[in-house]
Amino acid sequence: MKQSEIKQLSIAELQEKLSESKKSYSDLKMAHTISPLDNPIQLRVARRAVARVATELTKRDVQ
């Protein structure tokens, strides 16, 4: 998800997206621990998606 798409979401949608992203990242990490992923770059992409949403939520709380 791009930053421009994240900026258009409401706070409730961001919180929902954050929980979904964290769960997805957790699942990928667990799958990678059990047996290596075909594309381990997915872990990096998922982690950065979590960070983007979390950053936007923090940014809106400060304002």
Side-chain angles (χ1 to χ4, degrees):
M1 181 170 249
K2 293 185 178 182
Q3 189 66 23
S4 60
E5 295 171 355
I6 292 173
K7 287 182 180 183
Q8 295 174 356
L9 299 175
S10 68
I11 292 177
E13 291 172 331
L14 283 172
Q15 290 171 342
E16 182 180 329
K17 186 69 176 171
L18 181 62
S19 65
E20 289 174 9
S21 297
K22 281 185 177 181
K23 179 161 178 23
S24 172
Y25 176 63
S26 175
D27 292 344
L28 277 173
K29 205 161 71 167
M30 184 65 71
H32 186 63
T33 302
I34 294 169
S35 65
L37 294 173
D38 292 336
N39 185 6
I41 301 299
Q42 292 173 324
L43 289 170
R44 183 187 322 161
V45 171
R47 187 178 64 240
R48 289 180 180 178
V50 169
R52 282 188 191 102
V53 175
T55 300
E56 185 64 27
L57 273 172
T58 304
K59 181 178 161 185
R60 290 187 186 186
D61 285 342
V62 170
Q63 290 179 350

